[in-house]
Amino acid sequence: MVDLSVDISGLKLKNPIMPASGTFSEDLAEVFDLDRLGAHVTKTITRGWRDGNPTPRVCEVNGSMLNSIGIPSKGVGAFIEKVVPFYAHYETPLVVSISGNTADEFATLCSEVSVPGVAAIEVNISCPNIEEDGKAFAIRPSSTHDVMRKLRAATDLPLWAKLTPNTGETSEVARAAEEGGADALVVANTILSMAIDINTRRPKLGNLMGGLSGPSLKPIALRMAYQCARATSIPVIGCGGISTVEDVIEYLIAGASAVQVGTATFIHPTIMLSLIDGLEDWLSNQGLSSVKDLIGTVIDGEQDEAVVFMEAAP
Amino acid sequence: MPERIETMDDVPSIKAFELPLSVKSNEPVNGEYRLLVLAAPHDILKRCRAGQFFHLLCPQAGGETPYLRRPMSIYGFYPEKGELHFLYKVTGAGTRALASLALGDRLNVLGPLGEPFTIADDWQDLVLVARGVGLATLAPLALEANRLGRRLTAICSARHPDYLMSTDYFASLGADVITLTDAEGTSDLDNLEKVIEGLIADGRADAFYTCGSNRMLRLLQTIGERHGIPGQIALEQQMACGIGMCHCCVRPFNRGDRQVHLRVCREGPVFDMMEAIAW
């Protein structure tokens, strides 16, 4: 029997597989038992009602996906009244993803969603900061630190900071989030991207640009997860392009303590169950009794040239 | 801040299934459309309702790799034969891939999904109005109407008589079938309006059902408002998840005195005809 449980700064998960925000909802309960998952992560909510972006909101590109959904939200009141009671049926911890236009608005919402039934708050600091001309909070270390300080003061619940790949300062942003009070890092959100229909010469998304997700994103997000795990001492939750058990294992070896599965759930709604079972089988076959024995075991020292040569030989 | 959280009464039951089904046949029915017949388990088929859809994971074919699933309305479901039918037109990478499926191949399907058509108790005379492949979505509704003993008129429109579909099927279910085609000059909206007004005058239109045409929707809304006749429409929209999670497939609807965005996959694909907004 393999122990799949992991600990995210005091929050114990029965396994390290959970959905990524925006790719999960109560609707999935009509396809499988949601209590199989390590955690439930809601779609990002905002304080007030948001309609979201114009359609088309999605297009596919080379075996991956672009989206510009635009965080449609029914607001914090509807969330507390209807969504939290739904998840209270389940033993699996509920993580609520939140977003705000300004640091103060973000902090107020953080306080408002700190209700019984919520186990942790994932702060989507990858969204545009209106006070910074639309630049995402997590693009720069200083704005990351400032918003995390305000969020930290607003709640006693564990705070997971979801970082953006649209930065050139991954390690610095990760450290800023930790110093600002993050209990864990979710690495990462989607990459700002674009696709154009060559016949109409129009962008394929109604919002012109959107976020790239799916297998194309994996090597980039994996690299970031590795960097963040090395740069900080808080748990990293890998997120980006996971669709096979090998992907999960790579993230864990890179240093992630858990992973979030996003776009792959659109292709196979039950894929998270397959990943949980597949991970258990793989660990068992490897003779490992706990998933914790795999986390951060990447061998990143100098390559043994002889081994590389021998393995490359036909 | 509430002291504690009220728990809802029940956990939702499992209603949709992801599973591979084997292909029984996949043949052209005319120059434009193909019929895909899948062998399906009885417990899935007995859950299907007219107007619902499946989300299909199209295979890789011809060097193309469709990534997202493709929503496809149910053309027919037959628990007694163990068959699930889809009628489709080859238009893009996903449907090109579907066309490549051969006898015995497996196709991963997710469903049944979405809200079905409903037939109110006092709707005795139903009028189905559709053009082209829109008829495919209405075909299982005709079967359900027949089962409930309702009278049925199917107004089928197409570019050419060769592209009229399902007319024999509608007739076999006891429907009065009226065909209108561009080639014969009978499919224009003025003529369609005259046909429908004739049915109303004869007391044969308690409710309208439609799918697929913007112009037909507008006309039916106008006639429906004029005579106080309700209706339902099955809508299409590009989808990613098909379950309601992603909010990709929203469309605007008139509800009361305001406009709301609803998910075609979840709150639909069947909507109140008068609330739908032409596109």
Side-chain angles (χ1 to χ4, degrees), chain A residues 29-107:
Chain A
E30 293 182 359
V31 184
F32 67 85
D33 176 8
L34 300 187
D35 247 342
R36 294 274 323 271
L37 304 176
H40 297 153
V41 184
T42 68
K43 199 171 185 67
T44 298
I45 64 163
T46 53
R47 286 201 76 199
W49 177 284
R50 273 175 67 103
D51 243 351
N53 285 336
T55 57
R57 291 178 168 187
V58 63
C59 71
E60 60 181 37
V61 285
N62 304 329
S64 288
M65 176 179 138
L66 297 192
N67 87 79
S68 62
I69 310 295
I71 314 183
S73 169
K74 290 184 176 171
V76 63
F79 175 79
I80 291 172
E81 187 185 336
K82 293 184 176 158
V83 179
V84 178
F86 173 87
Y87 287 107
H89 275 295
Y90 300 96
E91 291 177 359
T92 299
L94 174 64
V95 181
V96 52
S97 170
I98 63 169
S99 169
N101 287 321
T102 65
D104 286 336
E105 180 190 313
F106 219 142

Side-chain angles (χ1 to χ4, degrees), chain B residues 23-237:
Chain B
V23 175
K24 288 181 87 168
S25 66
N26 186 19
E27 304 292 336
V29 291
N30 62 27
E32 290 196 318
Y33 295 97
R34 298 174 69 91
L35 176 64
L36 174 64
V37 178
L38 302 174
H42 184 267
D43 60 336
I44 303 292
L45 293 166
K46 74 181 183 190
R47 290 170 181 270
C48 296
R49 297 289 178 270
Q52 287 189 305
F53 69 98
F54 276 78
H55 218 20
L56 309 181
L57 187 61
C58 302
Q60 296 181 17
E64 294 182 303
T65 310
Y67 182 61
L68 298 170
R69 285 175 180 264
R70 303 300 199 260
M72 188 77 69
S73 65
I74 301 170
Y75 179 57
F77 55 99
Y78 305 96
E80 66 283 1
K81 290 194 286 186
E83 289 183 357
L84 180 61
H85 293 199
F86 297 101
L87 189 68
Y88 65 100
K89 183 178 181 179
V90 178
T91 55
T95 42
R96 275 194 295 273
L98 282 184
S100 74
L101 290 168
L103 175 70
D105 284 351
R106 292 279 188 149
L107 177 67
N108 182 298
V109 308
L110 168 67
L113 299 169
E115 290 295 320
F117 287 111
T118 55
I119 301 173
D121 291 344
D122 58 344
W123 296 355
Q124 292 299 321
D125 283 274
L126 313 182
V127 181
L128 278 50
V129 188
R131 185 171 164 88
V133 79
L135 293 162
T137 307
L138 299 183
L141 176 66
L143 184 64
E144 178 67 4
N146 176 263
R147 192 183 67 77
L148 293 172
R150 308 299 166 91
R151 288 180 296 276
L152 194 66
T153 303
I155 303 176
C156 306
S157 174
R159 280 193 291 125
H160 190 274
D162 290 348
Y163 296 150
L164 283 166
M165 283 177 309
S166 312
T167 52
D168 292 344
Y169 181 70
F170 287 129
S172 74
L173 294 169
D176 288 332
V177 179
I178 298 169
T179 61
L180 307 172
T181 66
D182 300 356
E184 296 165 318
T186 52
S187 62
D188 62 281
L189 285 185
D190 287 345
N191 190 46
L192 177 59
E193 185 168 4
K194 279 182 200 152
V195 170
I196 295 171
E197 286 289 354
L199 290 171
I200 295 169
D202 292 343
R204 291 176 51 201
D206 292 334
F208 297 127
Y209 294 89
T210 189
C211 175
S213 163
N214 210 10
R215 294 159 66 230
M216 284 179 171
L217 168 63
R218 285 204 190 97
L219 177 64
L220 289 172
Q221 285 176 328
T222 303
I223 297 173
E225 191 161 352
R226 190 186 299 155
H227 296 281
I229 298 172
Q232 296 181 350
I233 182 170
L235 289 168
E236 296 175 342
Q237 182 68 300

Side-chain angles (χ1 to χ4, degrees), chain A residues 24 39 88 113 121 123 136-137 139 163 174 200 215 231 238-239 294 303:
Chain A
F24 180 73
V113 299
I121 300 174
V123 294
F137 292 98
I139 284 181
L163 306 187
T200 63
C239 178
L294 189 65
Q303 293 269 15

Side-chain angles (χ1 to χ4, degrees), chain A residues 23 25 27 30 32 43 51 57-58 60 63-64 69 82 85 89-90 114 116 215 266-270, chain B residues 1 3 5-6 8 10-11 15-16 18 57 67-70 238 241 245-248 250 261 263 266:
Chain A
T23 62
S25 69
D27 307 297
E30 293 182 359
F32 67 85
K43 199 171 185 67
D51 243 351
R57 291 178 168 187
V58 63
E60 60 181 37
S64 288
I69 310 295
K82 293 184 176 158
H89 275 295
Y90 300 96
S114 299
F266 295 167
I267 315 302
H268 292 291
T270 56
Chain B
M1 186 187 300
E3 288 298 310
I5 289 297
E6 296 291 330
M8 286 179 179
D10 292 307
V11 204
K15 293 179 183 167
E18 181 193 349
L57 187 61
Y67 182 61
L68 298 170
R69 285 175 180 264
R70 303 300 199 260
Q238 190 186 32
C241 74
M245 301 180 288
C246 70
H247 293 245
C248 285
V250 295
H261 280 87
R263 298 166 296 181
R266 187 70 193 183

Side-chain angles (χ1 to χ4, degrees), chain A residues 16 18-23 41 122 161-165 185-191 212-214 217-226 236-243 247-248 251-252 256-263:
Chain A
M18 69 184 90
S21 174
T23 62
V41 184
E122 180 177 291
K162 186 163 182 177
L163 306 187
T164 174
L185 303 174
V186 180
V187 186
N189 210 313
T190 58
I191 290 190
L212 175 71
S213 64
L217 179 60
K218 201 200 83 183
I220 298 163
L222 180 72
R223 176 268 298 173
M224 289 186 64
Y226 168 74
V236 167
I237 299 162
C239 178
I242 292 171
S243 55
D247 295 335
V248 175
Y251 270 100
L252 296 172
S257 298
V259 295
Q260 295 187 344
V261 181
T263 310

